[in-house]
Amino acid sequence: MSIVILSKNYASSSWCLDELVMILKCKSTSEHEVLPVFYDVDPSLLRKQLGSFEEVFARHEGKIESESGERGKEWMSKVEEWRAALREVADLAGMNLQNRADGHESRFINKIIKVVGDKLSRTIMDIGPYAIGIRSRAREIQFWLEDESADVGVAAICGMGGIGKTTIAKFIYNLNFSRFEGSSFLANVREISKQQDGLLCLQRQLVSDILKGRKEKISNVDEGIVKIKDALHFKRVLVILDDVDELDELYAVLGMCDWLFSGSKIIITTWHERLLRPHEVCKVYKIEKLDYDESLELFSLHAFGQSHPVDDFADTSKLVVEHCEGLPLAIKVLGSSLSGQSIGVWRSQLEKLKAIPDSKILAKLKISYDSLQDEHDRSLFLHLACFFVGSDKDFTITIMDECEFYTVVGIQNLIDRGLVTVDGYNKLVIHHLLQEMGREIVCQESPNEPGERSRLCNHKDSLNVLRHNTSARTVFGVNRKRSLEEFLDDSLLSNVWNSLKRYRLGILSQNSVGNPPADSNEITLETNAFAKMENLKLLKLGHVQISGSYENFPKKIRWLYWHGFPFESTPRYFPLEALVALEMPYSSLKHFSAGIKFLELLKILNLSHSHSLARIPDFIVLPNLEKLILEDCISNLRKLPRSVGMLKSLETLDISGCSNL
């Protein structure tokens, strides 16, 4: 900020005039405040350059005649520049000694101090040392802020936890607060509002910020709304509310916003994408995660203090960046924690992250989970994280609705909170760090006894419980289907021979034969391993042999996925009556119909790639079947039962690759 003291003799100094020109150039090219102080000078005389200023400029212009050639032209240009600068500064809002404090200089100086203090008291928000990807993600919001339309603007910055919503809001605030008559950045609204008198604290801070530090007594929320209205009325203000979780928090601070002066801008950051949609004048900006190059640069700056990895750490850096999957919070935390450590520590940390997620990252991500409105949505998220990542949304709804969930509204609530997204193929997508968070929440239900957890979603824990017949009465779902990554990490299958064997088992290629040879290393379990799982509704198996009687097998199973089902027909007492979805891809089935009962609830039947399949059940026993998948059942299946025409509920029939049908 520059304070220009304009006295009667100010223009007589060429040095002062040159300085004024430079100050005004700074004002036009940067966030530089200029306060003119008219010290016994009438601004109108300065603007018109009359009185003493007329005499001074007459002397300046007299020098032009004494200079010849280029020097004369340069001097003439300089005089015109001085005149323009004085006219410009005379038009600025300033302070006039004749009009302030009755001409008493000491009082006038105190007034100047107060004005300067108010103008410079607006605090710049700290956004951290490295703003990688921030400017590009703030561009659209900046365009909206610069819109000079008369409407009051309300905008929401949305996205999952750790994506950078608060950082972008601070960046936007720093760029724009000086353009408004008043501004306020209210941080941690959700957290503060839950404290005693938290809403009152937020209201008092807002009033104080807008009134340049003046304190107002506020006794209750309703009184606070009135005082905020008085403070903000007829002012163009910028207000940012960071981390808003409920509309009540917004209304308590700003009321309904309909009385705000035109040109004012309100920005909130929130996990809740649909929080502001009832407002007609509302923009929603969803923040996207960093791309790979941005992620690697941000990680390198935190880990090495430079924009690219050190040579010896290049490969490991890429693995860490891939683990973070574009989440700035995770990139910063891991980059800072690994900085200065040896390559051995880096590799050990990567291995640890596969088993134990970073606590700082999980704590931040868990906020969105904890903020879900009820236990229904929290439980649904855990089911999705453990069993349905990558599954079709409609398929998941079909199963979970039969498990007494209100799945459509539940998934929408999870989408609104940034916990789940749906891709262009209608698949459920969960950021893998959020998926790890969900699985860790399940693990913490019983850290040392997996059988006491509500879900078994880690293949090693599942195997341990099933092999040792551990008490597991509370288990709702079991996931024993191992991913390709888990197979590759298994030390028992690390040599070349076992890699070839895995290929023969159909793990590496969907085109390989799905029926395992008799001497394969499939896991063998007893049916009584499931006997205590009275509440089991979701069961996902892969390349597992189960021997024994199915008479005591859990009867409440709604979804059974068994990759590589090893039997030629369904065993006696096989629990099918409660099934909503039965999936047996790459099975050894020849006769699915043997001993089958009336399956009124079954809506999805997937027997794809079952190359030995010769017969499927009469559809009379499947009256509500909606989806039948027989893809690539090419061997002996010659025709569909005539009763297929009776299936009025059938929506999907996939017989691709079945050349004999």
Side-chain angles (χ1 to χ4, degrees):
M1 183 174 187
S2 296
I3 305 172
V4 182
I5 311 295
L6 296 156
S7 63
K8 292 179 180 179
N9 296 322
Y10 183 87
S12 62
S13 168
S14 60
W15 187 89
C16 284
L17 292 171
D18 284 338
E19 188 179 52
L20 178 62
V21 170
M22 184 175 294
I23 288 171
L24 294 175
K25 284 181 179 178
C26 289
K27 177 181 179 297
S28 65
T29 59
S30 65
E31 296 176 7
H32 190 89
E33 295 272 3
V34 177
L35 176 67
V37 175
F38 303 103
Y39 184 73
D40 290 332
V41 171
D42 188 338
S44 64
L45 295 178
L46 184 63
R47 187 180 303 109
K48 299 174 183 178
Q49 288 156 26
L50 299 176
S52 62
F53 295 96
E54 184 178 17
E55 296 174 6
V56 169
F57 273 99
R59 291 198 297 270
H60 287 321
E61 290 169 346
K63 293 182 180 180
I64 296 174
E65 298 176 0
S66 63
E67 300 288 348
S68 59
E70 291 297 324
R71 287 181 60 84
K73 291 180 181 179
E74 290 177 5
W75 187 256
M76 182 182 294
S77 176
K78 185 179 286 288
V79 170
E80 288 302 318
E81 196 173 36
W82 290 342
R83 284 186 178 275
L86 286 173
R87 286 193 291 268
E88 182 179 350
V89 77
D91 286 333
L92 296 177
M95 303 183 68
N96 193 332
L97 179 60
Q98 295 175 333
N99 299 328
R100 298 287 186 99
D102 300 324
H104 296 286
E105 290 189 7
S106 60
R107 296 180 187 174
F108 189 53
I109 290 170
N110 285 329
K111 293 277 188 181
I112 293 173
I113 292 170
K114 178 68 168 61
V115 170
V116 172
D118 288 344
K119 285 183 176 290
L120 298 183
S121 65
R122 292 174 286 189
T123 305
I124 297 291
M125 309 301 295
D126 178 35
I127 63 170
Y130 310 119
I132 306 301
I134 298 298
R135 188 175 298 275
S136 61
R137 284 158 181 78
R139 186 176 295 117
E140 285 190 33
I141 308 171
Q142 183 64 27
F143 289 155
W144 168 76
L145 273 173
E146 293 172 354
D147 185 0
E148 297 297 332
S149 66
D151 291 336
V152 173
V154 180
I157 300 176
C158 304
M160 65 177 288
I163 201 71
K165 301 183 295 294
T166 299
T167 303
I168 290 172
K170 290 178 178 179
F171 178 81
I172 287 290
Y173 182 81
N174 291 343
L175 281 182
N176 294 279
F177 72 83
S178 62
R179 298 174 45 241
F180 291 82
E181 296 175 77
S183 61
S184 178
F185 190 105
L186 301 180
N188 303 316
V189 170
R190 176 188 55 81
E191 180 181 343
I192 293 173
S193 66
K194 288 176 172 57
Q195 299 172 3
Q196 185 175 3
D197 295 332
L199 290 175
L200 292 178
C201 291
L202 291 168
Q203 289 180 326
R204 289 166 186 154
Q205 181 188 338
L206 176 58
V207 172
S208 177
D209 289 344
I210 299 300
L211 298 180
K212 313 296 185 185
R214 196 176 82 203
K215 305 294 184 183
E216 287 283 336
K217 183 179 179 181
I218 299 176
S219 302
N220 58 68
V221 170
D222 292 336
E223 179 188 358
I225 291 175
V226 173
K227 293 204 171 180
I228 289 170
K229 180 177 179 179
D230 292 340
L232 273 62
H233 210 36
F234 299 117
K235 289 182 180 178
R236 285 184 67 254
V237 297
L238 171 63
V239 179
I240 295 182
L241 295 91
D242 176 47
D243 192 16
V244 176
D245 191 51
E246 301 289 344
L247 273 177
D248 290 347
E249 298 165 359
L250 178 63
Y251 291 154
V253 178
L254 290 173
M256 296 298 293
C257 305
D258 54 355
W259 46 263
L260 286 171
F261 191 60
S262 62
S264 292
K265 300 288 186 180
I266 312 299
I267 298 175
I268 72 168
T269 72
T270 179
W271 308 71
H272 199 341
E273 186 176 341
R274 295 168 61 91
L275 182 67
L276 281 178
R277 288 190 177 174
H279 291 267
E280 294 181 0
V281 284
C282 172
K283 298 281 187 180
V284 176
Y285 299 96
K286 191 167 184 179
I287 305 304
E288 300 296 331
K289 60 186 181 182
L290 300 181
D291 63 30
Y292 177 79
D293 291 336
E294 291 171 329
S295 300
L296 186 60
E297 182 179 3
L298 182 61
F299 176 78
S300 299
L301 287 167
H302 281 277
F304 309 111
Q306 61 186 39
S307 60
H308 55 85
V310 174
D311 289 343
D312 293 343
F313 291 80
D315 292 339
T316 313
S317 296
K318 292 176 182 177
L319 292 175
V320 177
V321 167
E322 289 169 1
H323 173 82
C324 295
E325 203 175 310
L327 192 67
L329 168 70
I331 293 168
K332 294 174 184 178
V333 169
L334 294 181
S336 299
S337 66
L338 291 171
S339 180
Q341 302 291 342
S342 67
I343 190 65
V345 171
W346 280 51
R347 290 169 179 161
S348 177
Q349 177 67 10
L350 270 176
E351 290 301 313
K352 180 182 176 183
L353 288 172
K354 294 177 182 179
I356 307 173
D358 185 272
S359 59
K360 291 182 180 179
I361 299 171
L362 284 191
K364 180 70 174 179
L365 296 180
K366 194 171 179 289
I367 294 172
S368 60
Y369 170 83
D370 291 334
S371 72
L372 289 169
Q373 59 188 9
D374 51 43
E375 193 58 38
H376 170 276
D377 289 353
R378 284 188 281 272
S379 184
L380 179 61
F381 171 75
L382 296 181
H383 284 312
L384 300 187
C386 291
F387 299 102
F388 293 103
V389 174
S391 295
D392 181 81
K393 176 185 172 184
D394 297 331
F395 169 85
T396 304
I397 290 171
T398 298
I399 295 172
M400 296 310 296
D401 276 355
E402 295 297 331
C403 295
E404 301 179 355
F405 279 86
Y406 304 97
T407 320
V408 174
V409 67
I411 288 178
Q412 187 58 57
N413 290 338
L414 298 178
I415 291 172
D416 292 344
R417 298 282 177 165
L419 290 166
V420 175
T421 58
V422 179
D423 68 12
Y425 300 97
N426 204 40
K427 305 293 186 182
L428 295 175
V429 178
I430 300 179
H431 191 288
H432 93 272
L433 291 179
L434 286 173
Q435 185 181 12
E436 286 185 2
M437 175 201 72
R439 295 186 171 195
E440 183 64 18
I441 290 171
V442 172
C443 287
Q444 290 306 312
E445 294 173 351
S446 178
N448 299 319
E449 293 293 338
E452 298 298 322
R453 299 171 190 166
S454 60
R455 303 155 185 86
L456 295 173
C457 47
N458 177 285
H459 82 277
K460 292 181 180 178
D461 289 338
S462 303
L463 185 60
N464 181 59
V465 171
L466 294 172
R467 273 182 167 169
H468 296 91
N469 199 15
T470 307
S471 175
R473 297 182 185 278
T474 61
V475 173
F476 188 99
V478 175
N479 188 346
R480 244 299 303 165
K481 186 176 185 295
R482 304 165 76 187
S483 68
L484 174 60
E485 181 182 358
E486 289 170 331
F487 269 100
L488 295 177
D489 284 343
D490 196 326
S491 60
L492 294 175
L493 300 174
S494 59
N495 57 44
V496 175
W497 168 248
N498 280 331
S499 294
L500 292 173
K501 183 181 291 185
R502 287 202 308 275
Y503 181 82
R504 290 168 56 204
L505 295 181
I507 302 303
L508 298 179
S509 171
Q510 295 241 336
N511 295 321
S512 57
V513 177
N515 301 324
D519 60 346
S520 72
N521 285 340
E522 279 196 342
I523 301 298
T524 300
L525 300 171
E526 297 290 332
T527 53
N528 61 9
F530 296 90
K532 295 181 180 179
M533 297 183 179
E534 300 171 355
N535 296 311
L536 186 65
K537 293 186 178 181
L538 308 175
L539 180 57
K540 196 171 183 180
L541 302 169
H543 298 284
V544 173
Q545 290 270 6
I546 300 181
S547 61
S549 172
Y550 285 81
E551 191 169 4
N552 295 320
F553 210 75
K555 301 297 191 296
K556 297 180 181 179
I557 297 177
R558 295 289 187 265
W559 174 41
L560 174 59
Y561 179 102
W562 193 333
H563 188 287
F565 182 74
F567 306 114
E568 293 184 355
S569 63
T570 52
R572 190 181 183 189
Y573 302 120
F574 199 59
L576 298 174
E577 291 84 349
L579 283 176
V580 178
L582 176 61
E583 298 188 274
M584 292 180 170
Y586 295 97
S587 75
S588 297
L589 279 170
K590 289 184 178 180
H591 307 288
F592 182 73
S593 59
I596 196 168
K597 301 176 183 179
F598 188 71
L599 304 181
E600 185 178 6
L601 299 179
L602 193 68
K603 295 181 179 181
I604 299 168
L605 178 59
N606 175 10
L607 302 175
S608 59
H609 309 287
S610 297
H611 296 154
S612 300
L613 187 65
R615 190 171 66 193
I616 57 177
D618 194 305
F619 291 110
I620 293 175
V621 301
L622 305 172
N624 295 306
L625 193 66
E626 297 175 359
K627 193 170 187 177
L628 175 61
I629 303 174
L630 300 173
E631 179 188 0
D632 198 33
C633 295
I634 58 175
S635 181
N636 298 309
L637 187 61
R638 299 291 181 180
K639 60 182 180 179
L640 294 175
R642 291 182 180 180
S643 56
V644 69
M646 301 175 60
L647 284 175
K648 296 180 180 180
S649 59
L650 191 65
E651 298 175 356
T652 302
L653 174 60
D654 186 351
I655 55 174
S656 57
C658 298
S659 57
N660 293 329
L661 285 176

